[in-house]
PDB file of all heavy atoms in Angstrom:
ATOM      1  N   GLY A  26     113.566  29.575 166.979  1.00  0.00           N
ATOM      2  CA  GLY A  26     112.675  28.937 166.088  1.00  0.00           C
ATOM      3  C   GLY A  26     111.289  28.847 166.707  1.00  0.00           C
ATOM      4  O   GLY A  26     110.262  28.978 165.937  1.00  0.00           O
ATOM      5  N   ALA A  27     111.130  28.609 167.969  1.00  0.00           N
ATOM      6  CA  ALA A  27     109.807  28.498 168.634  1.00  0.00           C
ATOM      7  C   ALA A  27     109.058  29.831 168.520  1.00  0.00           C
ATOM      8  O   ALA A  27     107.863  29.818 168.215  1.00  0.00           O
ATOM      9  CB  ALA A  27     109.940  28.124 170.101  1.00  0.00           C
ATOM     10  N   ILE A  28     109.770  30.907 168.650  1.00  0.00           N
ATOM     11  CA  ILE A  28     109.075  32.254 168.558  1.00  0.00           C
ATOM     12  C   ILE A  28     108.719  32.530 167.092  1.00  0.00           C
ATOM     13  O   ILE A  28     107.610  33.040 166.822  1.00  0.00           O
ATOM     14  CB  ILE A  28     109.955  33.328 169.165  1.00  0.00           C
ATOM     15  CG1 ILE A  28     110.059  33.192 170.684  1.00  0.00           C
ATOM     16  CG2 ILE A  28     109.423  34.723 168.800  1.00  0.00           C
ATOM     17  CD1 ILE A  28     110.948  34.174 171.365  1.00  0.00           C
ATOM     18  N   LEU A  29     109.621  32.260 166.193  1.00  0.00           N
ATOM     19  CA  LEU A  29     109.320  32.589 164.794  1.00  0.00           C
ATOM     20  C   LEU A  29     108.122  31.748 164.255  1.00  0.00           C
ATOM     21  O   LEU A  29     107.446  32.134 163.317  1.00  0.00           O
ATOM     22  CB  LEU A  29     110.507  32.328 163.901  1.00  0.00           C
ATOM     23  CG  LEU A  29     111.738  33.320 164.147  1.00  0.00           C
ATOM     24  CD1 LEU A  29     112.916  32.967 163.277  1.00  0.00           C
ATOM     25  CD2 LEU A  29     111.292  34.729 163.855  1.00  0.00           C
ATOM     26  N   THR A  30     107.939  30.545 164.829  1.00  0.00           N
ATOM     27  CA  THR A  30     106.817  29.721 164.444  1.00  0.00           C
ATOM     28  C   THR A  30     105.468  30.333 164.812  1.00  0.00           C
ATOM     29  O   THR A  30     104.486  30.206 164.068  1.00  0.00           O
ATOM     30  CB  THR A  30     106.936  28.321 165.108  1.00  0.00           C
ATOM     31  OG1 THR A  30     108.170  27.761 164.661  1.00  0.00           O
ATOM     32  CG2 THR A  30     105.809  27.408 164.646  1.00  0.00           C
ATOM     33  N   ASN A  31     105.406  31.000 165.956  1.00  0.00           N
ATOM     34  CA  ASN A  31     104.099  31.578 166.419  1.00  0.00           C
ATOM     35  C   ASN A  31     104.346  32.849 167.201  1.00  0.00           C
ATOM     36  O   ASN A  31     104.167  32.934 168.411  1.00  0.00           O
ATOM     37  CB  ASN A  31     103.373  30.533 167.269  1.00  0.00           C
ATOM     38  CG  ASN A  31     101.965  31.019 167.627  1.00  0.00           C
ATOM     39  OD1 ASN A  31     101.506  32.078 167.102  1.00  0.00           O
ATOM     40  ND2 ASN A  31     101.285  30.269 168.458  1.00  0.00           N
ATOM     41  N   PRO A  32     104.840  33.946 166.551  1.00  0.00           N
ATOM     42  CA  PRO A  32     105.166  35.176 167.292  1.00  0.00           C
ATOM     43  C   PRO A  32     103.959  35.827 167.940  1.00  0.00           C
ATOM     44  O   PRO A  32     104.110  36.457 168.982  1.00  0.00           O
ATOM     45  CB  PRO A  32     105.747  36.061 166.198  1.00  0.00           C
ATOM     46  CG  PRO A  32     105.213  35.534 164.907  1.00  0.00           C
ATOM     47  CD  PRO A  32     105.074  34.088 165.100  1.00  0.00           C
ATOM     48  N   ARG A  33     102.790  35.660 167.368  1.00  0.00           N
ATOM     49  CA  ARG A  33     101.614  36.341 167.899  1.00  0.00           C
ATOM     50  C   ARG A  33     101.331  35.841 169.352  1.00  0.00           C
ATOM     51  O   ARG A  33     100.878  36.607 170.213  1.00  0.00           O
ATOM     52  CB  ARG A  33     100.401  36.086 167.030  1.00  0.00           C
ATOM     53  CG  ARG A  33      99.124  36.845 167.422  1.00  0.00           C
ATOM     54  CD  ARG A  33      98.014  36.529 166.516  1.00  0.00           C
ATOM     55  NE  ARG A  33      98.302  36.932 165.147  1.00  0.00           N
ATOM     56  CZ  ARG A  33      98.103  38.140 164.687  1.00  0.00           C
ATOM     57  NH1 ARG A  33      97.584  39.085 165.484  1.00  0.00           N
ATOM     58  NH2 ARG A  33      98.359  38.464 163.463  1.00  0.00           N
ATOM     59  N   ARG A  34     101.588  34.539 169.586  1.00  0.00           N
ATOM     60  CA  ARG A  34     101.342  33.992 170.899  1.00  0.00           C
ATOM     61  C   ARG A  34     102.115  34.724 171.977  1.00  0.00           C
ATOM     62  O   ARG A  34     101.632  35.037 173.085  1.00  0.00           O
ATOM     63  CB  ARG A  34     101.700  32.518 170.914  1.00  0.00           C
ATOM     64  CG  ARG A  34     101.827  31.895 172.288  1.00  0.00           C
ATOM     65  CD  ARG A  34     102.524  30.553 172.206  1.00  0.00           C
ATOM     66  NE  ARG A  34     102.971  30.121 173.517  1.00  0.00           N
ATOM     67  CZ  ARG A  34     103.889  29.192 173.706  1.00  0.00           C
ATOM     68  NH1 ARG A  34     104.439  28.521 172.681  1.00  0.00           N
ATOM     69  NH2 ARG A  34     104.245  28.824 174.912  1.00  0.00           N
ATOM     70  N   TYR A  35     103.406  35.071 171.660  1.00  0.00           N
ATOM     71  CA  TYR A  35     104.248  35.728 172.630  1.00  0.00           C
ATOM     72  C   TYR A  35     103.905  37.213 172.782  1.00  0.00           C
ATOM     73  O   TYR A  35     103.974  37.788 173.861  1.00  0.00           O
ATOM     74  CB  TYR A  35     105.704  35.551 172.285  1.00  0.00           C
ATOM     75  CG  TYR A  35     106.120  34.081 172.200  1.00  0.00           C
ATOM     76  CD1 TYR A  35     106.054  33.359 171.040  1.00  0.00           C
ATOM     77  CD2 TYR A  35     106.542  33.438 173.373  1.00  0.00           C
ATOM     78  CE1 TYR A  35     106.438  32.001 171.017  1.00  0.00           C
ATOM     79  CE2 TYR A  35     106.942  32.122 173.344  1.00  0.00           C
ATOM     80  CZ  TYR A  35     106.878  31.406 172.152  1.00  0.00           C
ATOM     81  OH  TYR A  35     107.236  30.093 172.095  1.00  0.00           O
ATOM     82  N   ARG A  36     103.556  37.869 171.631  1.00  0.00           N
ATOM     83  CA  ARG A  36     103.248  39.288 171.716  1.00  0.00           C
ATOM     84  C   ARG A  36     102.000  39.509 172.553  1.00  0.00           C
ATOM     85  O   ARG A  36     101.842  40.547 173.157  1.00  0.00           O
ATOM     86  CB  ARG A  36     103.108  39.841 170.313  1.00  0.00           C
ATOM     87  CG  ARG A  36     104.391  39.974 169.524  1.00  0.00           C
ATOM     88  CD  ARG A  36     104.109  40.597 168.178  1.00  0.00           C
ATOM     89  NE  ARG A  36     105.300  40.620 167.302  1.00  0.00           N
ATOM     90  CZ  ARG A  36     106.186  41.605 167.273  1.00  0.00           C
ATOM     91  NH1 ARG A  36     105.994  42.686 168.046  1.00  0.00           N
ATOM     92  NH2 ARG A  36     107.202  41.591 166.457  1.00  0.00           N
ATOM     93  N   LYS A  37     101.079  38.577 172.526  1.00  0.00           N
ATOM     94  CA  LYS A  37      99.786  38.705 173.238  1.00  0.00           C
ATOM     95  C   LYS A  37     100.029  38.850 174.742  1.00  0.00           C
ATOM     96  O   LYS A  37      99.210  39.350 175.493  1.00  0.00           O
ATOM     97  CB  LYS A  37      98.859  37.595 172.926  1.00  0.00           C
ATOM     98  CG  LYS A  37      98.246  37.656 171.518  1.00  0.00           C
ATOM     99  CD  LYS A  37      97.384  36.405 171.309  1.00  0.00           C
ATOM    100  CE  LYS A  37      96.176  36.400 172.270  1.00  0.00           C
ATOM    101  NZ  LYS A  37      95.259  35.232 171.964  1.00  0.00           N
ATOM    102  N   SER A  38     101.201  38.341 175.208  1.00  0.00           N
ATOM    103  CA  SER A  38     101.455  38.426 176.644  1.00  0.00           C
ATOM    104  C   SER A  38     101.499  39.857 177.164  1.00  0.00           C
ATOM    105  O   SER A  38     101.155  40.138 178.308  1.00  0.00           O
ATOM    106  CB  SER A  38     102.794  37.794 176.989  1.00  0.00           C
ATOM    107  OG  SER A  38     102.832  36.437 176.576  1.00  0.00           O
ATOM    108  N   TYR A  39     101.880  40.812 176.261  1.00  0.00           N
ATOM    109  CA  TYR A  39     101.942  42.210 176.682  1.00  0.00           C
ATOM    110  C   TYR A  39     100.528  42.852 176.732  1.00  0.00           C
ATOM    111  O   TYR A  39     100.421  43.995 177.228  1.00  0.00           O
ATOM    112  CB  TYR A  39     102.812  42.978 175.694  1.00  0.00           C
ATOM    113  CG  TYR A  39     104.224  42.496 175.693  1.00  0.00           C
ATOM    114  CD1 TYR A  39     104.824  42.060 174.497  1.00  0.00           C
ATOM    115  CD2 TYR A  39     105.028  42.478 176.838  1.00  0.00           C
ATOM    116  CE1 TYR A  39     106.114  41.626 174.489  1.00  0.00           C
ATOM    117  CE2 TYR A  39     106.338  42.081 176.809  1.00  0.00           C
ATOM    118  CZ  TYR A  39     106.876  41.628 175.640  1.00  0.00           C
ATOM    119  OH  TYR A  39     108.202  41.195 175.625  1.00  0.00           O
ATOM    120  N   ASP A  40      99.499  42.188 176.292  1.00  0.00           N
ATOM    121  CA  ASP A  40      98.140  42.721 176.356  1.00  0.00           C
ATOM    122  C   ASP A  40      97.513  42.508 177.696  1.00  0.00           C
ATOM    123  O   ASP A  40      96.417  42.994 177.979  1.00  0.00           O
ATOM    124  CB  ASP A  40      97.292  42.092 175.261  1.00  0.00           C
ATOM    125  CG  ASP A  40      97.764  42.404 173.885  1.00  0.00           C
ATOM    126  OD1 ASP A  40      98.399  43.498 173.700  1.00  0.00           O
ATOM    127  OD2 ASP A  40      97.495  41.598 172.960  1.00  0.00           O
ATOM    128  N   ARG A  41      98.164  41.750 178.591  1.00  0.00           N
ATOM    129  CA  ARG A  41      97.624  41.561 179.936  1.00  0.00           C
ATOM    130  C   ARG A  41      97.514  42.896 180.627  1.00  0.00           C
ATOM    131  O   ARG A  41      98.351  43.774 180.490  1.00  0.00           O
ATOM    132  CB  ARG A  41      98.519  40.585 180.743  1.00  0.00           C
ATOM    133  CG  ARG A  41      98.536  39.215 180.198  1.00  0.00           C
ATOM    134  CD  ARG A  41      99.378  38.321 181.153  1.00  0.00           C
ATOM    135  NE  ARG A  41      99.520  36.968 180.632  1.00  0.00           N
ATOM    136  CZ  ARG A  41     100.242  36.033 181.232  1.00  0.00           C
ATOM    137  NH1 ARG A  41     100.805  36.254 182.429  1.00  0.00           N
ATOM    138  NH2 ARG A  41     100.353  34.838 180.661  1.00  0.00           N
ATOM    139  N   ALA A  42      96.511  43.006 181.436  1.00  0.00           N
ATOM    140  CA  ALA A  42      96.208  44.231 182.135  1.00  0.00           C
ATOM    141  C   ALA A  42      97.457  44.701 183.012  1.00  0.00           C
ATOM    142  O   ALA A  42      97.924  43.941 183.838  1.00  0.00           O
ATOM    143  CB  ALA A  42      95.006  44.122 183.052  1.00  0.00           C
ATOM    144  N   ASP A  43      97.886  45.881 182.745  1.00  0.00           N
ATOM    145  CA  ASP A  43      98.856  46.600 183.588  1.00  0.00           C
ATOM    146  C   ASP A  43     100.235  46.052 183.618  1.00  0.00           C
ATOM    147  O   ASP A  43     101.125  46.552 184.356  1.00  0.00           O
ATOM    148  CB  ASP A  43      98.352  46.674 185.038  1.00  0.00           C
ATOM    149  CG  ASP A  43      97.254  47.680 185.198  1.00  0.00           C
ATOM    150  OD1 ASP A  43      97.092  48.602 184.327  1.00  0.00           O
ATOM    151  OD2 ASP A  43      96.535  47.558 186.156  1.00  0.00           O
ATOM    152  N   VAL A  44     100.588  45.030 182.752  1.00  0.00           N
ATOM    153  CA  VAL A  44     101.930  44.515 182.789  1.00  0.00           C
ATOM    154  C   VAL A  44     102.961  45.607 182.332  1.00  0.00           C
ATOM    155  O   VAL A  44     103.980  45.763 183.036  1.00  0.00           O
ATOM    156  CB  VAL A  44     102.068  43.230 181.976  1.00  0.00           C
ATOM    157  CG1 VAL A  44     101.840  43.471 180.490  1.00  0.00           C
ATOM    158  CG2 VAL A  44     103.483  42.708 182.140  1.00  0.00           C
ATOM    159  N   LEU A  45     102.626  46.357 181.283  1.00  0.00           N
ATOM    160  CA  LEU A  45     103.561  47.361 180.859  1.00  0.00           C
ATOM    161  C   LEU A  45     103.509  48.598 181.763  1.00  0.00           C
ATOM    162  O   LEU A  45     104.488  49.322 181.879  1.00  0.00           O
ATOM    163  CB  LEU A  45     103.299  47.714 179.424  1.00  0.00           C
ATOM    164  CG  LEU A  45     103.668  46.620 178.395  1.00  0.00           C
ATOM    165  CD1 LEU A  45     103.440  47.083 176.960  1.00  0.00           C
ATOM    166  CD2 LEU A  45     105.177  46.208 178.622  1.00  0.00           C
ATOM    167  N   ARG A  46     102.363  48.851 182.355  1.00  0.00           N
ATOM    168  CA  ARG A  46     102.272  49.967 183.305  1.00  0.00           C
ATOM    169  C   ARG A  46     103.123  49.656 184.518  1.00  0.00           C
ATOM    170  O   ARG A  46     103.794  50.562 185.015  1.00  0.00           O
ATOM    171  CB  ARG A  46     100.821  50.236 183.699  1.00  0.00           C
ATOM    172  CG  ARG A  46     100.693  51.314 184.763  1.00  0.00           C
ATOM    173  CD  ARG A  46      99.301  51.882 184.874  1.00  0.00           C
ATOM    174  NE  ARG A  46      98.983  52.717 183.705  1.00  0.00           N
ATOM    175  CZ  ARG A  46      99.370  53.953 183.541  1.00  0.00           C
ATOM    176  NH1 ARG A  46     100.120  54.562 184.468  1.00  0.00           N
ATOM    177  NH2 ARG A  46      99.025  54.618 182.479  1.00  0.00           N
ATOM    178  N   GLN A  47     103.141  48.448 184.976  1.00  0.00           N
ATOM    179  CA  GLN A  47     104.007  48.087 186.117  1.00  0.00           C
ATOM    180  C   GLN A  47     105.445  48.194 185.731  1.00  0.00           C
ATOM    181  O   GLN A  47     106.296  48.543 186.585  1.00  0.00           O
ATOM    182  CB  GLN A  47     103.705  46.641 186.568  1.00  0.00           C
ATOM    183  CG  GLN A  47     102.339  46.445 187.192  1.00  0.00           C
ATOM    184  CD  GLN A  47     102.021  44.991 187.425  1.00  0.00           C
ATOM    185  OE1 GLN A  47     102.868  44.143 187.327  1.00  0.00           O
ATOM    186  NE2 GLN A  47     100.717  44.709 187.681  1.00  0.00           N
ATOM    187  N   TRP A  48     105.733  47.938 184.455  1.00  0.00           N
ATOM    188  CA  TRP A  48     107.170  48.072 183.985  1.00  0.00           C
ATOM    189  C   TRP A  48     107.384  49.427 183.294  1.00  0.00           C
ATOM    190  O   TRP A  48     108.069  49.513 182.303  1.00  0.00           O
ATOM    191  CB  TRP A  48     107.449  46.940 183.017  1.00  0.00           C
ATOM    192  CG  TRP A  48     107.639  45.610 183.626  1.00  0.00           C
ATOM    193  CD1 TRP A  48     107.612  45.318 184.951  1.00  0.00           C
ATOM    194  CD2 TRP A  48     107.749  44.362 182.919  1.00  0.00           C
ATOM    195  NE1 TRP A  48     107.778  43.937 185.162  1.00  0.00           N
ATOM    196  CE2 TRP A  48     107.848  43.352 183.881  1.00  0.00           C
ATOM    197  CE3 TRP A  48     107.753  44.020 181.593  1.00  0.00           C
ATOM    198  CZ2 TRP A  48     108.021  42.013 183.568  1.00  0.00           C
ATOM    199  CZ3 TRP A  48     107.913  42.706 181.277  1.00  0.00           C
ATOM    200  CH2 TRP A  48     108.048  41.677 182.221  1.00  0.00           C
ATOM    201  N   SER A  49     106.789  50.469 183.832  1.00  0.00           N
ATOM    202  CA  SER A  49     106.971  51.780 183.191  1.00  0.00           C
ATOM    203  C   SER A  49     107.686  52.755 184.133  1.00  0.00           C
ATOM    204  O   SER A  49     107.647  52.598 185.375  1.00  0.00           O
ATOM    205  CB  SER A  49     105.577  52.347 182.792  1.00  0.00           C
ATOM    206  OG  SER A  49     104.862  52.693 183.956  1.00  0.00           O
ATOM    207  N   TRP A  50     108.284  53.784 183.539  1.00  0.00           N
ATOM    208  CA  TRP A  50     108.920  54.800 184.382  1.00  0.00           C
ATOM    209  C   TRP A  50     107.937  55.591 185.174  1.00  0.00           C
ATOM    210  O   TRP A  50     108.300  56.069 186.255  1.00  0.00           O
ATOM    211  CB  TRP A  50     109.777  55.709 183.420  1.00  0.00           C
ATOM    212  CG  TRP A  50     110.607  56.659 184.193  1.00  0.00           C
ATOM    213  CD1 TRP A  50     110.598  58.012 184.136  1.00  0.00           C
ATOM    214  CD2 TRP A  50     111.642  56.395 185.167  1.00  0.00           C
ATOM    215  NE1 TRP A  50     111.510  58.615 184.994  1.00  0.00           N
ATOM    216  CE2 TRP A  50     112.173  57.620 185.661  1.00  0.00           C
ATOM    217  CE3 TRP A  50     112.078  55.183 185.733  1.00  0.00           C
ATOM    218  CZ2 TRP A  50     113.155  57.648 186.649  1.00  0.00           C
ATOM    219  CZ3 TRP A  50     113.102  55.261 186.710  1.00  0.00           C
ATOM    220  CH2 TRP A  50     113.593  56.488 187.153  1.00  0.00           C
ATOM    221  N   GLN A  51     106.733  55.745 184.712  1.00  0.00           N
ATOM    222  CA  GLN A  51     105.698  56.464 185.517  1.00  0.00           C
ATOM    223  C   GLN A  51     105.521  55.731 186.852  1.00  0.00           C
ATOM    224  O   GLN A  51     105.367  56.377 187.872  1.00  0.00           O
ATOM    225  CB  GLN A  51     104.370  56.493 184.734  1.00  0.00           C
ATOM    226  CG  GLN A  51     104.349  57.454 183.577  1.00  0.00           C
ATOM    227  CD  GLN A  51     104.719  56.718 182.261  1.00  0.00           C
ATOM    228  OE1 GLN A  51     105.464  55.769 182.304  1.00  0.00           O
ATOM    229  NE2 GLN A  51     104.135  57.165 181.136  1.00  0.00           N
ATOM    230  N   THR A  52     105.503  54.384 186.841  1.00  0.00           N
ATOM    231  CA  THR A  52     105.369  53.610 188.056  1.00  0.00           C
ATOM    232  C   THR A  52     106.605  53.543 188.852  1.00  0.00           C
ATOM    233  O   THR A  52     106.633  53.759 190.086  1.00  0.00           O
ATOM    234  CB  THR A  52     104.841  52.221 187.763  1.00  0.00           C
ATOM    235  OG1 THR A  52     103.555  52.303 187.077  1.00  0.00           O
ATOM    236  CG2 THR A  52     104.718  51.386 189.034  1.00  0.00           C
ATOM    237  N   GLU A  53     107.724  53.268 188.185  1.00  0.00           N
ATOM    238  CA  GLU A  53     108.985  53.063 188.895  1.00  0.00           C
ATOM    239  C   GLU A  53     109.539  54.357 189.468  1.00  0.00           C
ATOM    240  O   GLU A  53     110.213  54.310 190.566  1.00  0.00           O
ATOM    241  CB  GLU A  53     110.024  52.464 187.935  1.00  0.00           C
ATOM    242  CG  GLU A  53     109.721  51.100 187.450  1.00  0.00           C
ATOM    243  CD  GLU A  53     109.725  50.042 188.561  1.00  0.00           C
ATOM    244  OE1 GLU A  53     110.499  50.227 189.539  1.00  0.00           O
ATOM    245  OE2 GLU A  53     109.014  49.085 188.430  1.00  0.00           O
ATOM    246  N   SER A  54     109.231  55.500 188.919  1.00  0.00           N
ATOM    247  CA  SER A  54     109.812  56.758 189.471  1.00  0.00           C
ATOM    248  C   SER A  54     109.008  57.252 190.710  1.00  0.00           C
ATOM    249  O   SER A  54     109.525  58.112 191.427  1.00  0.00           O
ATOM    250  CB  SER A  54     109.734  57.849 188.386  1.00  0.00           C
ATOM    251  OG  SER A  54     108.454  58.130 187.990  1.00  0.00           O
ATOM    252  N   ALA A  55     107.878  56.730 190.957  1.00  0.00           N
ATOM    253  CA  ALA A  55     107.015  57.214 192.111  1.00  0.00           C
ATOM    254  C   ALA A  55     107.774  56.999 193.431  1.00  0.00           C
ATOM    255  O   ALA A  55     107.807  57.979 194.272  1.00  0.00           O
ATOM    256  CB  ALA A  55     105.676  56.458 192.167  1.00  0.00           C
ATOM    257  N   PRO A  56     108.375  55.839 193.778  1.00  0.00           N
ATOM    258  CA  PRO A  56     109.158  55.717 195.000  1.00  0.00           C
ATOM    259  C   PRO A  56     110.337  56.685 195.062  1.00  0.00           C
ATOM    260  O   PRO A  56     110.691  57.149 196.133  1.00  0.00           O
ATOM    261  CB  PRO A  56     109.613  54.244 195.017  1.00  0.00           C
ATOM    262  CG  PRO A  56     108.674  53.531 194.090  1.00  0.00           C
ATOM    263  CD  PRO A  56     108.354  54.536 193.041  1.00  0.00           C
ATOM    264  N   LEU A  57     110.957  56.933 193.949  1.00  0.00           N
ATOM    265  CA  LEU A  57     112.059  57.852 193.914  1.00  0.00           C
ATOM    266  C   LEU A  57     111.577  59.309 194.252  1.00  0.00           C
ATOM    267  O   LEU A  57     112.260  59.987 195.081  1.00  0.00           O
ATOM    268  CB  LEU A  57     112.688  57.890 192.507  1.00  0.00           C
ATOM    269  CG  LEU A  57     113.844  58.927 192.277  1.00  0.00           C
ATOM    270  CD1 LEU A  57     115.004  58.652 193.182  1.00  0.00           C
ATOM    271  CD2 LEU A  57     114.203  58.881 190.813  1.00  0.00           C
ATOM    272  N   LEU A  58     110.458  59.703 193.750  1.00  0.00           N
ATOM    273  CA  LEU A  58     109.950  61.079 194.040  1.00  0.00           C
ATOM    274  C   LEU A  58     109.498  61.121 195.494  1.00  0.00           C
ATOM    275  O   LEU A  58     109.631  62.135 196.158  1.00  0.00           O
ATOM    276  CB  LEU A  58     108.788  61.380 193.138  1.00  0.00           C
ATOM    277  CG  LEU A  58     109.179  61.486 191.625  1.00  0.00           C
ATOM    278  CD1 LEU A  58     107.918  61.734 190.762  1.00  0.00           C
ATOM    279  CD2 LEU A  58     110.226  62.581 191.415  1.00  0.00           C
ATOM    280  N   ASP A  59     108.961  60.024 196.010  1.00  0.00           N
ATOM    281  CA  ASP A  59     108.633  59.994 197.464  1.00  0.00           C
ATOM    282  C   ASP A  59     109.921  60.187 198.316  1.00  0.00           C
ATOM    283  O   ASP A  59     109.817  60.856 199.358  1.00  0.00           O
ATOM    284  CB  ASP A  59     107.948  58.687 197.836  1.00  0.00           C
ATOM    285  CG  ASP A  59     106.545  58.558 197.291  1.00  0.00           C
ATOM    286  OD1 ASP A  59     105.983  59.610 196.869  1.00  0.00           O
ATOM    287  OD2 ASP A  59     106.047  57.443 197.147  1.00  0.00           O
ATOM    288  N   LEU A  60     110.980  59.546 197.910  1.00  0.00           N
ATOM    289  CA  LEU A  60     112.268  59.737 198.621  1.00  0.00           C
ATOM    290  C   LEU A  60     112.712  61.161 198.578  1.00  0.00           C
ATOM    291  O   LEU A  60     113.148  61.763 199.622  1.00  0.00           O
ATOM    292  CB  LEU A  60     113.351  58.860 197.967  1.00  0.00           C
ATOM    293  CG  LEU A  60     114.744  58.982 198.568  1.00  0.00           C
ATOM    294  CD1 LEU A  60     114.823  58.589 200.034  1.00  0.00           C
ATOM    295  CD2 LEU A  60     115.751  58.122 197.723  1.00  0.00           C
ATOM    296  N   TYR A  61     112.576  61.846 197.449  1.00  0.00           N
ATOM    297  CA  TYR A  61     112.929  63.259 197.356  1.00  0.00           C
ATOM    298  C   TYR A  61     112.099  64.070 198.368  1.00  0.00           C
ATOM    299  O   TYR A  61     112.682  64.960 199.050  1.00  0.00           O
ATOM    300  CB  TYR A  61     112.669  63.791 195.942  1.00  0.00           C
ATOM    301  CG  TYR A  61     113.627  63.339 194.871  1.00  0.00           C
ATOM    302  CD1 TYR A  61     113.343  63.605 193.567  1.00  0.00           C
ATOM    303  CD2 TYR A  61     114.797  62.648 195.151  1.00  0.00           C
ATOM    304  CE1 TYR A  61     114.247  63.249 192.489  1.00  0.00           C
ATOM    305  CE2 TYR A  61     115.609  62.188 194.146  1.00  0.00           C
ATOM    306  CZ  TYR A  61     115.377  62.508 192.853  1.00  0.00           C
ATOM    307  OH  TYR A  61     116.192  62.127 191.849  1.00  0.00           O
TER     308      TYR A  61
END
């Protein structure tokens, strides 16, 4: 109910700089390729 009351507030959290880049396969796969 809290989210349905104001969904935009929660979606805006993903607009923070680099949060999704940090949580991306492009970033996460880099240590794996270094291991290879």
